[in-house]
Amino acid sequence: MDKKSFLKLFKDSDEYMLSSLWNDIELAEETEVPIFTKEFYPPAIWSFLEKNNINGLKFICKGLNSDSEKKMIMISPKDYDISYFDFPVVYFKIDGQNKFRELFHKDFLGTIMSLGIKREIMGDLIVKNSICFGIITEEKYGIINQEIKKIGNVPVKFQEILKEDVPESEFKSEILLVSSLRIDSFVSAVTGLSRQKSVEEIEKGNVLLNYNIQKDKSTEIKEGDILTVKKIGKFKFQEIKGESKKNKIRINVKKFI
């Protein structure tokens, strides 16, 4: 596969990031050793690469936890022993617990990015009770470790942690009724949007099915599928629970919070 064909695989993704990724792919081919990307990639890219062989290479991805959306990618020759390779990332914790105000995701992200840190060189952030858990490239960890003493006007404690110390994402289970298993019906049920508005979001490319943009409103979803609606949230279709008296399908859905 050449660069032009590779870029066509991800027509709705950032071309600069894709070009950087292609350069890493070429470097892995030339050197015949594993190469790590310098950025964390969105699910539409890493989920495809994990499942597909490109130019005899395999792709291993790592993010903050098992439900991560942003992941760094290791590009390795297919039969290379990667057991001795560690991802060049650091897990961190910023403790901002205090008596006066609660800190939210936007507070931590805003402070980090105010240091000139690009969003792409950092993975997901999980914030619980004014404590932020994150992952960042080793190269940039020193900057945030040295510079972040406060979030807003709240003093914080910053420390490196182990991957095992990172909590899993939380979710809320809910039983919903849908008229069918079509994706437009599912989007409407989980978001509260009208069926017409749900179709518009799908056609705009704002709906991802298993981390890939899905613009076909008639696509049927199945148990285990993960659906992301941009700027609204991420949902997992757990199982069918039967039918209602009005012949609607009763489904169990997890909403990540």
Side-chain angles (χ1 to χ4, degrees):
M1 181 180 294
D2 59 16
K3 181 177 181 178
K4 186 176 181 181
S5 300
F6 179 75
L7 295 179
K8 284 183 178 179
L9 293 173
F10 311 99
K11 291 184 289 187
D12 297 303
S13 298
D14 182 88
E15 189 170 330
Y16 171 80
M17 288 188 70
L18 288 173
S19 294
S20 177
L21 177 55
W22 179 254
N23 290 340
D24 289 333
I25 289 173
E26 288 190 319
L27 184 58
E29 285 185 281
E30 292 171 7
T31 61
E32 298 184 345
V33 297
I35 299 295
F36 295 93
T37 60
K38 298 178 180 64
E39 299 173 328
F40 288 77
Y41 284 82
I45 296 175
W46 62 254
S47 64
F48 176 87
L49 294 177
E50 279 189 329
K51 300 171 186 174
N52 292 275
N53 180 302
I54 294 179
N55 297 357
L57 300 169
K58 61 182 177 181
F59 300 84
I60 301 92
C61 307
K62 175 171 284 191
L64 181 62
N65 63 16
S66 60
D67 295 312
S68 297
E69 294 212 348
K70 299 178 182 296
K71 295 187 178 183
M72 180 179 284
I73 303 171
M74 176 200 286
I75 307 159
S76 173
K78 189 175 180 181
D79 298 319
Y80 202 97
D81 181 6
I82 60 172
S83 59
Y84 298 101
F85 284 79
D86 291 323
F87 277 76
V89 297
V90 177
Y91 297 90
F92 63 86
K93 171 183 173 183
I94 308 174
D95 189 340
Q97 290 182 313
N98 66 93
K99 298 179 180 179
F100 306 105
R101 58 170 288 211
E102 184 176 1
L103 297 177
F104 298 99
H105 186 282
K106 64 180 181 180
D107 299 312
F108 291 98
L109 180 60
T111 298
I112 293 172
M113 296 189 69
S114 71
L115 300 175
I117 299 293
K118 292 196 307 178
R119 185 66 185 90
E120 292 79 11
I121 59 91
M122 185 169 55
D124 296 19
L125 298 178
I126 292 178
V127 177
K128 296 182 178 183
N129 302 320
S130 297
I131 300 175
C132 174
F133 299 88
I135 181 173
I136 193 169
T137 61
E138 282 182 342
E139 182 183 3
K140 298 297 183 181
Y141 172 73
I143 296 175
I144 61 174
N145 184 29
Q146 293 174 11
E147 297 294 331
I148 296 181
K149 307 299 180 187
K150 290 184 177 182
I151 302 294
N153 59 353
V154 177
V156 297
K157 297 177 182 178
F158 197 107
Q159 67 180 105
E160 181 178 345
I161 60 175
L162 299 174
K163 176 176 173 57
E164 292 72 25
D165 297 326
V166 177
E168 289 299 323
S169 301
E170 293 183 351
F171 61 88
K172 178 176 70 174
S173 289
E174 191 173 1
I175 302 296
L176 299 173
L177 295 176
V178 293
S179 57
S180 75
L181 295 181
R182 283 171 45 129
I183 194 170
D184 55 350
S185 178
F186 188 87
V187 170
S188 179
V190 298
T191 63
L193 298 174
S194 68
R195 190 72 170 261
Q196 181 179 349
K197 181 64 176 174
S198 298
V199 170
E200 290 176 5
E201 292 300 305
I202 292 169
E203 292 177 342
K204 288 177 184 176
N206 290 334
V207 175
L208 285 73
L209 179 60
N210 296 324
Y211 303 118
N212 294 292
I213 292 174
Q214 177 55 259
K215 292 186 177 182
D216 183 356
K217 64 183 180 183
S218 64
T219 297
E220 289 204 353
I221 62 171
K222 60 185 183 299
E223 293 177 347
D225 281 347
I226 293 176
L227 184 136
T228 307
V229 184
K230 292 182 180 178
K231 297 184 179 180
I232 294 181
K234 183 168 72 169
F235 310 85
K236 183 174 183 178
F237 175 20
Q238 285 290 89
E239 60 181 337
I240 296 174
K241 301 291 287 185
E243 290 189 358
S244 70
K245 293 180 180 179
K246 295 184 178 181
N247 296 322
K248 287 200 170 185
I249 304 170
R250 195 185 305 272
I251 60 174
N252 182 10
V253 176
K254 287 193 339 184
K255 178 179 181 180
F256 292 86
I257 55 178

